[in-house]
Amino acid sequence: MPQEDYSKLLNTILTLSFEQRLNLLSVVAESLQDKDPVPPDMSVSSINELNQKLDEGLSDIKAGRVIPGEVVNQRLHEKYGI
């Protein structure tokens, strides 16, 4: 993340209420507990593999193999309370 973006994010965080910052802290702390932050099938060892994964993902989107936004939002709400 570029320093300018980081500074903007930090300033935004500091404008949040105490409760909001505490909730954000909980979310960040919980995310640091993840033992496996990237699913094994998403790991790549070369640029070619990365490009292949990206192409597969774009193909899935074009073919309609996606998770509806409502489901994604529900999962985020359940996991992070957002």
Side-chain angles (χ1 to χ4, degrees):
M1 171 183 285
Q3 182 63 37
E4 182 178 318
D5 291 345
Y6 176 80
S7 296
K8 287 180 184 178
L9 179 60
L10 184 57
N11 287 332
T12 300
I13 291 169
L14 293 175
T15 64
L16 298 174
S17 69
F18 176 80
E19 185 177 305
Q20 290 169 321
R21 286 184 282 146
L22 191 59
N23 185 42
L24 181 60
L25 176 62
S26 296
V27 171
V28 171
E30 184 179 318
S31 74
L32 294 173
Q33 299 302 313
D34 292 341
K35 301 279 190 260
D36 191 14
V38 177
D41 62 337
M42 293 301 294
S43 298
V44 296
S45 58
S46 70
I47 296 295
N48 287 338
E49 282 185 61
L50 175 61
N51 287 330
Q52 180 183 355
K53 292 285 187 185
L54 291 171
D55 288 341
E56 289 172 10
L58 292 172
S59 294
D60 285 344
I61 291 170
K62 288 178 184 173
R65 292 185 295 269
V66 297
I67 300 172
E70 296 83 19
V71 174
V72 173
N73 287 336
Q74 182 62 32
R75 288 179 184 175
L76 288 171
H77 180 71
E78 289 171 2
K79 185 169 183 175
Y80 300 109
I82 57 173

